[in-house]
Every structure is written in C-alpha cells, then in structure tokens.
Amino acid sequence: MSSTKQYVKHIISFLFGLCILGTMIHYGNIDHFLLLISTMSKKIFALAIFIYSISWVLRVFRLQYVTAHFKANIKSKDLFLLHISSYALNVLLPAKIGDIANVLYLKLYGMKIEESLSSIVFTRILDLIAAGVFAMSFIFIGFKVPIINKYASMLIGGCLIFFIGLIFFKKISLFSRILNIIENTTTLKFTKSFIVIGKGMHVGLIDLFSSFLLLGKSVLLSLLIWFFEIFTLYFIALSMNISVPILFMIFGVALANIAKIVPATPGGIGLYEGIIVAVFSAADVGYNDALVIAVLDHLVKNLYIILIGVPATSMIGFDTVRFIKTDLNNL
C-alpha cells in the first residue's frame, strides 16, 4: 500500500473514531459533562497526571532491563525519549509506524535489528500479559465472595495463564517451522531477509523469556505500569467525586487497552471511551459520569504522550521515515 493511501486510511479511521466519540457526547448531557469538568478538583486532577508520569518512569526501567540483557548501554534519558516518541508516532501516524521507529531507534543505538525487534515485542507481550491478568477481574464481578479470595484467585489464575503461555511459547516450535518452510520455498532475497530477521527475533524472545531474573523484574514492572494506569483513572474519577467500584475500574482499563491492539482507530480513540462507558454502566455508574471519566482519562494519556513525544522525536534527531526506507532497502 502506498504512503498516500496509508495516510488517507489513517485520516478516515481518525475521523471514524471522532464520530464515535462525538456521537457518545451528543447523546449525553453536554451541560452535565461541562459542569463536572468545571467543578473538578484541580489538585486531584494534577495528581492523576503525576501518577500517569510514574508509569512512564517504570516503562523506561523495564526497557532498560531488556536492552541491557543484550549488552546495550543506553542512557535512561535516551530510552525515555525514544520510547515516548514511538508512542506519539503510533497515535499520529498510520500502520503502527511508532513500533517500527522504536525498533530502529534501538538499532541506531548499536543493537542488532533482531535484538531491538525482540526487545520491543517482548515489552508488548508483557503489556498484554499484565492487562490480561487485570482483565481477569471480570470473573469476580457480581460474585459475592470475600475480597481476599478475589485477589488470591486473580493472582493464582494470572500466574497459571502466564506460565502456560510461557511453556507454549518455548516448547512449541510452530513459528520457527513456518519460517523455515517459507525460507526454503522462496527465492526472493527481500523475503529471505525478513525471514532471517523473524528467526532472529524468535531466538531473542526465547532468550529473554529464559532469563527468569529478567522475566521476574519485567513482569513486576509491567503489573506496576498497569497499576498506575488504573490509578490514573481512579484519581480522575475522584477529582469529580464520582465513585466507581474498583474491580470495574480495573476491568475497564484493561479491556479498553487490550482492544487498542487492533488499530481500528488511531490511539483507540472512540473505542477506548466506548468500552470504559460500557463497563462502568454495568456498575450502575451514570452514562454522563462514565463518559466524562473515559474522555478525560484517554485525553490526559494521549496528550501527555503527544506533548512530550513530538518534541522528543525532534530531540532524538532521527529522520524516522528516511531511516525506515534505508533499512528496508538494505535488506
């Protein structure tokens, strides 16, 4: 697909997301929406932003542990800039170009392409695992059992899912077999180069998952990252004196972020808010209250990423598109 078509598709999906969000706001009480915003506690709202910034500190620590495993010596400041730059590019540009940029940023700091690719995929898998663990809260919604049993069951269930997935990933060689079949049947140099990178990434991922100390630190940091994501939403609701059951809040944030994996709209705009509202409505939170929480939560997080990530892209000093084209041409 040409770059022009990619941008047209991106703009259409962005407008689609805005239409979803606009429709949701239109069918709500706009006066009530504005009243909640105007009367919110500015101090508590500022605290929510500060809490979200902590999640980014944790993301940097996690990425630093992962890259250090491959003997890469990258400063924390540089990791923060390249990481938040890639997130901003994902929001603003089509085709998940931010993830590609993240891989190339690390490569430009001296990492092999296979190492940088496996590092970014590893962090994405960790995010998915952490979100899945928190999303398990839906199992306990509506069940009247002691709270200690809820969290004990969540922890045990999450660990079981994680280790089953880990065993599956390490023992099942289907991915490598498929790559070997494609490599042996194709004659295209371009395709073979991608296969080599894919096999290198698979080896790198197995290496990362095999380091139990790194895995333990990374999983803990991933859970903390999501904890602060949820905590941000909690304080945004608190700033407007809106009460939401904690399990619904955990489930809503986890489910909304899992849905963002599918790039239906840039940054999940419209979809993120819709899922939060649907989950909160099931908790008997008023539609307008749920909507304003969802909108502000997503707005805070996206603006934080864009306002820091766009200048960070300039500070890094890399021409992302040029480097992407150069790397592809060299394959």
Side-chain angles (χ1 to χ4, degrees):
M1 185 180 291
S2 67
S3 58
T4 302
K5 289 183 179 179
Q6 283 279 17
Y7 278 103
V8 170
K9 181 181 177 181
H10 186 73
I11 292 171
I12 292 173
S13 64
F14 179 72
L15 293 175
F16 175 67
L18 286 180
C19 286
I20 295 175
L21 187 57
T23 301
M24 291 173 63
I25 294 174
H26 174 74
Y27 281 100
N29 188 327
I30 296 178
D31 291 336
H32 181 70
F33 187 94
L34 296 175
L35 178 64
L36 286 173
I37 295 176
S38 63
T39 58
M40 74 163 58
S41 170
K42 304 302 186 294
K43 290 182 179 180
I44 297 178
F45 187 74
L47 180 59
I49 298 174
F50 173 74
I51 288 171
Y52 182 64
S53 69
I54 295 176
S55 72
W56 273 97
V57 175
L58 296 173
R59 287 184 188 278
V60 172
F61 284 154
R62 184 180 65 179
L63 187 58
Q64 195 163 43
Y65 283 132
V66 175
T67 55
H69 181 78
F70 293 114
K71 313 301 181 184
N73 185 20
I74 308 175
K75 295 179 180 179
S76 299
K77 176 186 175 183
D78 294 329
L79 281 175
F80 173 72
L81 291 176
L82 67 88
H83 209 28
I84 200 165
S85 167
S86 68
Y87 272 68
L89 291 172
N90 268 341
V91 173
L92 298 172
L93 298 178
K96 287 289 183 181
I97 199 171
D99 287 345
I100 300 173
N102 213 353
V103 171
L104 296 180
Y105 285 161
L106 292 176
K107 181 178 180 293
L108 291 168
Y109 274 98
M111 294 182 68
K112 295 178 181 178
I113 187 69
E114 297 87 352
E115 295 173 344
S116 59
L117 183 58
S118 58
S119 296
I120 298 306
V121 173
F122 182 65
T123 59
R124 288 298 191 182
I125 292 173
L126 290 172
D127 279 334
L128 183 59
I129 290 172
V133 170
F134 281 117
M136 286 181 65
S137 61
F138 81 93
I139 296 174
F140 313 102
I141 291 175
F143 291 88
K144 297 181 179 179
V145 295
I147 194 71
I148 186 65
N149 289 345
K150 292 181 182 181
Y151 289 107
S153 300
M154 190 184 301
L155 178 62
I156 294 170
C159 289
L160 285 174
I161 289 176
F162 173 75
F163 284 111
I164 289 172
L166 179 60
I167 293 171
F168 178 84
F169 181 82
K170 290 183 66 177
K171 298 300 182 183
I172 302 299
S173 57
L174 179 61
F175 183 72
S176 292
R177 292 176 186 173
I178 293 173
L179 290 178
N180 286 331
I181 292 172
I182 297 174
E183 185 179 23
N184 293 331
T185 56
T186 186
T187 58
L188 295 175
K189 180 182 177 182
F190 185 79
T191 304
K192 283 183 175 291
S193 297
F194 269 109
I195 296 301
V196 171
I197 292 173
K199 292 173 72 173
M201 180 200 71
H202 188 250
V203 171
L205 282 173
I206 291 177
D207 184 28
L208 288 169
F209 276 104
S210 299
S211 175
F212 289 104
L213 179 60
L214 171 66
L215 188 60
K217 290 179 179 178
S218 300
V219 169
L220 177 59
L221 285 170
S222 298
L223 292 172
L224 286 173
I225 288 167
W226 283 92
F227 171 79
F228 281 103
E229 287 259 358
I230 295 164
F231 218 34
T232 300
L233 181 67
Y234 171 80
F235 274 94
I236 287 175
L238 186 63
S239 70
M240 293 174 287
N241 199 28
I242 300 173
S243 176
V244 182
I246 187 63
L247 284 178
F248 284 87
M249 196 171 288
I250 292 171
F251 181 53
V253 172
L255 187 63
N257 279 280
I258 291 173
K260 287 169 66 174
I261 294 173
V262 180
T265 61
I269 185 171
L271 300 178
Y272 183 95
E273 290 84 356
I275 290 174
I276 294 288
V277 169
V279 172
F280 284 11
S281 296
D284 293 326
V285 177
Y287 176 83
N288 292 293
D289 290 348
L291 181 60
V292 71
I293 295 172
V295 170
L296 286 180
D297 178 66
H298 205 199
L299 184 64
V300 163
K301 292 171 180 176
N302 277 341
L303 281 180
Y304 184 96
I305 290 170
I306 292 172
L307 292 177
I308 300 178
V310 171
T313 305
S314 301
M315 291 175 66
I316 293 170
F318 297 145
D319 183 340
T320 305
V321 176
R322 179 166 59 85
F323 276 114
I324 290 173
K325 289 181 177 179
T326 301
D327 272 64
L328 291 178
N329 289 334
N330 288 335
L331 291 176

